[in-house]
Amino acid sequence: MQSLCLARCIRSLWAPAQTNLLLKLGKVQKYVNCQLQHSKTMENKPWALISEIGALGYPEELIDIMMKRFHVVSHKDFLQNLQLYSPKVQVLFCWNTSPTVEPSLLRLLPSLKVVANGGAGINHLDVPYINSLGVKVTNTPGVVSSATADIALGLLLASARDIITSHQIAVDPNTTSLPTSMMGVDVTGSTMGIVGMGDIGYKIAQRGRGFEMKILYYNRRRRNVKEEQAVGARYCQSLDELLKDSDFVVLAVNLTPETTGLIGHRELSLMRSTATLVNISRGQVVDQDALVDALRSGTIRGAALDVTYPEPLPRDHPLLSLPNVVITTHIGTNTMNTCHRMVESMINNSLAVLTGQPIPNEVRAQ
């Protein structure tokens, strides 16, 4: 009888312990399964080639996003170990035109499936040649539009109100009095002519509307009446008409053979002597020698440029020493939120190619 009671007591004490042990073993097994699944996922991640991490490449926060979905190798490490990486890379992420997508690099990437460009402009990519290799090309339109439109208005305001010159006077240790003769030009109520009325151009018009500006635009295709009315825009039948009637001419076109050198001596001579040229498209859209002449001679009042050709300009280039020029370092898309969205779009485009899904932003050879 005592033995039976003892057995029952042992069973009653062991049961909870056994249950806890089984639960713990179950958790351990679940953890092991998760780790095995994670390892398997890591092994299955595709390889992507990037430019570099740091000042001339990607901020580390953006690399963290990429590494969740890809094994990432920098261009430098890739070249130092071609035997290891060359057969693996399926995706080439092109950021600020780097790494340079040229035939010599493409020949080293036999497994490449897609060149995913960060940004809307793809003039640095030979799309027909890349496509001929069976490789897709994608870009990230839309996500860059707001930030680029913001910089257009920022440059316009900086030039119109001499903000850079005023800042330099304010911080100069030799300044003892403030000049009263520095006069800018009005933005409110002025006329802004936008050359290129795509998504970026349209957002520039929306911002100009907030400054009560009159909006003119020239584009290959006219926008519909509802869109024009929303921003108070008037379509110009010719570029010449827009140039003659604008206080600020903003260039927001893609770089193509047709737009290369679009603004030269003749076009600048049509602009008002009080007008300012704002370029946030590509440096090659403007004949820079003609622009220097126009700025020196007073043909136009000033220029505000986020893009030049080349970038950066040679340190002795005359544009760098002219007082009526504002130049920034191609920062149109440089906000962290915009860059995050660009990288996410690059990733989504690439994964769509690799998995055979519809590609959100494919660029095809014309």
Side-chain angles (χ1 to χ4, degrees), residues 47-320:
W47 281 82
L49 175 64
I50 66 168
S51 53
E52 60 178 284
I53 304 171
L56 299 178
Y58 299 82
E60 288 188 12
E61 302 94 315
L62 302 183
I63 293 298
D64 290 341
I65 299 172
M66 287 182 170
M67 290 180 68
K68 291 177 182 178
R69 308 303 295 270
F70 297 91
H71 292 293
V72 174
V73 57
S74 71
H75 188 226
K76 180 181 178 180
D77 290 342
F78 171 80
L79 293 177
Q80 289 177 346
N81 200 338
L82 290 175
Q83 187 174 1
L84 174 63
Y85 296 121
S86 185
K88 294 182 176 181
V89 172
Q90 293 181 288
V91 177
L92 194 163
F93 287 128
C94 188
W95 185 263
N96 292 331
T97 72
S98 294
T100 304
V101 184
E102 53 192 0
S104 60
L105 176 60
L106 294 172
R107 283 193 291 270
L108 299 175
L109 300 168
S111 302
L112 188 66
K113 298 293 188 294
V114 56
V115 174
N117 185 64
I122 44 86
N123 55 284
H124 55 289
L125 300 175
D126 187 343
V127 178
Y129 175 72
I130 297 171
N131 285 169
S132 74
L133 302 175
V135 176
K136 302 287 188 182
V137 176
T138 67
N139 65 347
T140 63
V143 297
V144 303
S145 299
S146 292
T148 308
D150 288 347
I151 205 68
L153 263 292
L155 284 166
L156 188 154
L157 288 165
S159 179
R161 299 303 305 271
D162 290 321
I163 290 173
I164 306 300
T165 302
S166 181
H167 167 76
Q168 291 169 340
I169 293 171
V171 301
D172 189 330
N174 297 316
T175 295
T176 56
S177 61
L178 300 180
T180 58
S181 58
M182 264 185 64
M183 295 292 169
V185 296
D186 286 322
V187 173
T188 300
S190 64
T191 300
M192 176 166 62
I194 302 171
V195 183
M197 196 65 142
D199 194 41
I200 293 172
Y202 195 77
K203 287 184 180 295
I204 293 170
Q206 290 174 327
R207 285 150 177 75
R209 184 71 161 170
F211 282 89
E212 302 172 16
M213 301 177 85
K214 303 178 185 69
I215 308 296
L216 308 178
Y217 78 97
Y218 175 71
N219 202 43
R220 287 180 300 173
R221 290 183 294 273
R222 183 172 180 173
R223 290 250 179 186
N224 64 51
V225 174
K226 185 177 179 180
E227 290 172 329
E228 289 181 346
Q229 290 176 343
V231 293
R234 177 170 69 83
Y235 178 67
C236 293
Q237 297 289 339
S238 69
L239 176 61
D240 289 5
E241 178 187 353
L242 180 144
L243 294 172
K244 291 175 182 177
D245 294 341
S246 299
D247 297 306
F248 300 93
V249 174
V250 182
L251 305 178
V253 295
N254 291 324
L255 181 63
T256 66
E258 292 72 30
T259 61
T260 300
L262 181 67
I263 304 298
H265 285 284
R266 190 188 76 84
E267 290 74 24
L268 290 164
S269 70
L270 295 175
M271 292 174 62
R272 297 173 176 179
S273 60
T274 54
T276 298
L277 180 71
V278 180
N279 188 9
I280 50 90
S281 56
R282 287 292 186 270
Q284 298 96 313
V285 172
V286 177
D287 178 338
Q288 290 181 162
D289 292 337
L291 179 59
V292 169
D293 291 343
L295 291 165
R296 282 174 169 168
S297 65
T299 301
I300 63 173
R301 174 186 177 274
L305 315 170
D306 187 43
V307 290
T308 59
Y309 184 75
E311 293 175 348
L313 288 170
R315 296 298 84 187
D316 60 349
H317 196 283
L319 278 175
L320 300 179

